[in-house]
Amino acid sequence: MNINFSKLTAAGNDFVLIDNRESVIAKEDCQSLAKKLCNRKHSIGADGLILLEKSACKDFKMKYFNSDGSYASMCGNGGRSIAKFAYDLGVANLKMVFETDAGVINAEILTEDRVRLDLYAPRDLKKDIKVKVNGKEFDVDFINTGVPHAVIFVDDIEKIDVFGYGRAIRSHKTFVPAGVNVNFVKVIKGNTLLVRTYERGVEDETLACGTGIIASGIISVLKGFAESPVKVIARGGDKLLVSLKNSNDKISNVVLEGPALITFKGTVKIQSEV
Ligand SMILES: N[C@@H](CCC[C@H](N)C(=O)O)C(=O)O
């Protein structure tokens, strides 16, 4: 079977997007297909597979799978990408509303390559958790911004071993069984954060993680390190903006703004055993 796809990048977090409104991909095949299509040596290559599906009440529904095949209820960079993809397909207007398993999102295509997402409220905030890995103790703040995130402030963002510490914290007993995405954050002048993320499901550092950037922005505001709107520079150098309202640690009006671009389109042959 031949399937049309678009490849998008959102701050260097890259995705394969497929229009699955007619259920060409069966539910039980999604995970193995994600693994295959995201493989950078043998297929298209991406951090995740995103399916655009029919929604009963909104413009469409987003389904997200990491490159290792695991399902995730949300992806911030993927959310901007699917908005761009939906507009390009003619499924949605410049302003749209879509469903994810984390909540409903209002999106707006701002320019050729910039998208704004208005998100649901985050949950499960836990501050100042002590986590010891590889002989070092970290002060971790946890928040679920659609998927689980650990946020850690560091002095030297260039030197921190994101892969080594990120991988160990991701699977630390505090965060099992779900695991956690791990964000290392440096606050710099100009109300700006530098963020590096070890992503669960990619099992490596990615060039950006949208929900991780939101988590880092929220925690920075809660700790008084920054004010909304917070500027964020992702590992790949792209600039994003996070804004929110905070009333005694009750977070609302969360907005993520950042790039999303279609890099190419193609057709991929799916083998029957998928
Ligand atoms: N890259 C995403 C997050 C994707 C899901 C994550 N890896 C998980 O499994 O929790 C983003 O931009 O938010």
Side-chain angles (χ1 to χ4, degrees):
M1 176 174 52
N2 287 328
I3 292 185
N4 294 331
F5 71 88
S6 292
K7 179 80 195 297
L8 281 91
T9 179
N13 209 190
D14 61 340
F15 312 104
V16 175
L17 283 98
I18 295 174
D19 176 4
N20 200 34
R21 282 173 298 164
E22 299 308 325
S23 303
V24 282
I25 300 161
K27 212 175 168 187
E28 60 275 16
D29 295 335
C30 293
Q31 296 197 310
S32 61
L33 187 64
K35 256 175 123 166
K36 286 195 176 183
L37 298 186
C38 293
N39 188 307
R40 295 191 190 275
K41 304 282 185 198
H42 295 283
S43 188
I44 306 162
D47 292 325
L49 169 68
I50 302 176
L51 303 179
L52 185 147
E53 303 204 326
K54 273 186 189 154
S55 159
C57 52
K58 308 295 177 205
D59 290 315
F60 56 88
K61 182 163 187 171
M62 167 171 138
K63 285 277 175 199
Y64 185 83
F65 297 88
N66 285 305
S67 56
D68 71 355
S70 59
Y71 166 77
S73 48
M74 174 54 186
C75 173
N77 291 325
R80 297 198 314 284
S81 297
I82 201 167
K84 179 93 188 159
F85 178 66
Y87 179 69
D88 183 62
L89 269 181
V91 170
N93 297 318
L94 287 172
K95 286 187 180 185
M96 63 194 86
V97 189
F98 63 94
E99 277 185 272
T100 71
D101 286 330
V104 170
I105 296 176
N106 284 267
E108 184 178 355
I109 313 286
L110 298 173
T111 64
E112 185 63 28
D113 64 353
R114 251 183 123 75
V115 180
R116 170 189 163 113
L117 301 181
D118 284 70
L119 298 115
Y120 44 79
R123 53 190 174 85
D124 304 335
L125 171 68
K126 284 181 204 78
K127 287 188 194 161
D128 304 316
I129 311 163
K130 304 280 178 223
V131 175
K132 196 170 177 186
V133 291
N134 305 349
K136 192 171 158 72
E137 188 171 78
F138 290 92
D139 195 352
V140 178
D141 297 297
F142 176 91
I143 194 160
N144 188 316
T145 54
V147 288
H149 281 280
V151 175
I152 299 164
F153 293 91
V154 294
D155 291 329
D156 197 336
I157 192 89
E158 292 306 320
K159 283 218 181 103
I160 188 80
D161 178 8
V162 173
F163 184 80
Y165 289 128
R167 197 179 181 83
I169 294 166
R170 178 248 187 269
S171 302
H172 190 268
K173 61 178 187 308
T174 314
F175 304 112
V176 291
V180 71
N181 298 284
V182 186
N183 304 277
F184 296 93
V185 183
K186 167 86 179 160
V187 184
I188 60 168
K189 62 177 180 350
N191 206 40
T192 303
L193 312 178
L194 303 176
V195 179
R196 296 180 65 184
T197 308
Y198 179 92
E199 260 196 64
R200 177 184 80 157
V202 179
E203 303 312 334
D204 206 346
E205 180 177 10
T206 54
L207 291 182
C209 175
T211 48
I213 283 169
I214 297 169
S216 304
I218 292 173
I219 301 292
S220 299
V221 169
L222 291 181
K223 295 209 146 181
F225 298 158
E227 278 175 17
S228 172
V230 186
K231 292 175 211 140
V232 179
I233 302 176
R235 189 59 182 160
D238 284 285
K239 295 186 177 74
L240 296 94
L241 206 63
V242 177
S243 60
L244 56 119
K245 277 194 183 146
N246 169 31
S247 165
N248 298 321
D249 286 2
K250 268 224 159 319
I251 306 298
S252 62
N253 298 62
V254 177
V255 175
L256 174 71
E257 212 184 285
L261 263 183
I262 298 173
T263 50
F264 60 93
K265 297 179 185 183
T267 303
V268 65
K269 193 177 174 128
I270 310 288
Q271 305 298 337
S272 51
E273 77 271 7
V274 168

